[in-house]
Amino acid sequence: MALGLIEEETAGELGYDRLPVADLSAPEMAVLAGRAALEAAGEGPTGLVLHSWMHYQGHDLWSAPHYIADRLGLGDALPLGIQQVCNGGAAAVETAIARLLAEPALGRALVTTADRFAEPGFDRWRGDYGIAYGDGATALVVHPLDRDTGAESGTESGTGEGAGGSADLTLYAIATVAAPALERMHRGGDPFSAAARSISSRVDMRRTKKAFLAAEGMEAFTRASGDRLRRVVRTCLADAGLDAADPRLRYVVMPRLGRKTIDLAYRPALSELTPAEILATGRDTGHLGAGDAAAGLAELHHDKMLEPGERALVISAGAGFTWSCLLVGKA
């Protein structure tokens, strides 16, 4: 606030203490995160590299996933880019699982996300409503479940350092739902343009959201958002055969949105569904673009928040709109 980057009222509504600002490009950060995750996971074949992002990756007509695979020495892996805006990290995990189940010879998959919300094209504080954006990268290794552990069926996902063997989080279910009619919230009334930022010199989600709300009204968004959020949680729990009131379900981890957005759009609906503790994360990171879901997994893992047998839901959401829910736990 002292620098005039944000108004005092808005700062209180966001609830962030600080936002990380990076000097490195997004793909360079993804390489660092990917290297740490691979080292922690230990030796093993990695046949897939999936990279997801929200914002510009540093070059036009260029593949960041191939750069990441090359820099990590994964020359035989298949690099794939997953573009689903803020839900991209969760979409990449879901895609990795499907590929590994269909093609076991791939071994395991590295999933990375990275975003850098730099000037002049992006105002991290004022480019959106209810969210401020922090720079960062995430990485996790998705690999098949070791049937000898006696854990439930599914896949194990390692996040960051220490993600090997019994320290892994087990993924028991993942569900995704969408509301394509809400795509206009990030298009507004703008015409299609021939080049990026030819209509506006900065990414301006406030402008497009104003246009959507003027045309459709707030009720159209809140009704669809609440319905899809409830649906994705119920579907995820049902797929895992877990009751929402099961005491093993300890936490529901929120996407790294502003405090007011969580309190208005997420907390009421989720509190109706389950008595599990709602964790609002990201006070020192802000919203990490495509990386919110992986960052939530990392907090559960690194902070050793789950005891054996306990579960947590990790919620992800992104423009379009799409919502994902991952049920993870310690076997």
Side-chain angles (χ1 to χ4, degrees):
M1 291 183 293
L3 297 176
L5 299 175
I6 189 171
E7 300 81 7
E8 183 174 357
E9 180 181 356
T10 303
E13 293 175 351
L14 290 173
Y16 299 130
D17 294 332
R18 63 185 64 85
L19 296 181
V21 177
D23 293 325
L24 293 176
S25 72
E28 289 173 313
M29 290 190 287
V31 170
L32 296 177
R35 183 172 293 121
L38 289 170
E39 290 176 354
E43 295 293 329
T46 304
L48 282 174
V49 175
L50 298 97
H51 178 62
S52 185
W53 65 97
M54 173 184 170
H55 190 46
Y56 187 61
Q57 295 290 287
H59 292 282
D60 299 322
L61 293 174
W62 172 75
S63 175
H66 286 74
Y67 170 87
I68 294 163
D70 179 62
R71 291 301 185 274
L72 292 174
L74 300 176
D76 293 327
L78 174 63
L80 294 175
I82 304 294
Q83 239 298 354
Q84 203 182 64
V85 205
C86 304
N87 198 54
V93 170
E94 196 165 20
T95 301
I97 293 166
R99 287 297 304 268
L100 292 175
L101 289 173
E103 201 172 345
L106 291 169
R108 61 187 186 177
L110 174 68
V111 175
T112 63
T113 75
D115 277 297
R116 182 185 181 215
F117 301 101
E119 296 281 6
F122 203 108
D123 184 338
R124 68 179 70 246
W125 290 106
R126 291 176 169 151
D128 203 349
Y129 289 118
I131 312 172
Y133 294 76
D135 300 341
T138 71
L140 57 85
V141 176
V142 179
H143 57 88
L145 187 68
D146 182 357
R147 301 292 179 180
D148 295 333
T149 64
E152 300 174 32
S153 61
T155 64
E156 295 182 287
S157 64
T159 59
E161 61 184 84
S166 62
D168 288 351
L169 291 174
T170 300
L171 178 65
Y172 293 101
I174 183 168
T176 299
V177 300
L182 299 179
E183 58 80 22
R184 188 179 170 186
M185 284 199 77
H186 289 76
R187 178 171 57 88
D190 293 349
F192 287 93
S193 60
R197 297 203 300 273
S198 57
I199 294 176
S200 173
S201 61
R202 286 181 173 177
V203 175
D204 188 355
M205 290 170 279
R206 291 187 177 188
R207 184 187 72 253
T208 60
K209 289 180 177 181
K210 282 181 181 177
F212 173 88
L213 294 175
E216 304 292 338
M218 178 61 79
E219 176 62 21
F221 175 75
T222 56
R223 183 175 59 250
S225 176
D227 171 74
R228 298 312 194 276
L229 180 60
R230 293 178 179 88
R231 187 189 306 179
V232 77
V233 170
R234 290 185 178 121
T235 300
C236 188
L237 290 171
D239 287 349
L242 187 70
D243 188 272
D246 193 309
R248 291 176 295 172
L249 183 58
R250 290 291 312 281
Y251 303 110
V252 183
V253 183
M254 295 291 94
R256 295 170 179 246
L257 310 177
R259 177 190 294 145
K260 184 177 180 180
T261 301
I262 293 296
D263 288 346
L264 292 178
Y266 285 81
R267 194 179 298 276
L270 293 168
S271 296
E272 292 174 4
L273 292 175
T274 175
E277 182 180 351
I278 295 174
L279 297 181
T281 59
R283 288 186 60 179
D284 59 348
T285 68
H287 181 48
L288 293 173
D292 277 9
L297 291 171
E299 285 203 18
L300 291 172
H301 174 71
H302 291 165
D303 295 345
K304 298 179 173 61
M305 298 178 67
L306 296 175
E307 297 294 332
E310 293 182 337
R311 308 284 184 263
L313 291 170
V314 177
I315 308 296
S316 177
F321 265 73
T322 310
W323 293 260
S324 287
C325 182
L326 298 82
L327 178 66
V328 299
K330 295 296 291 294

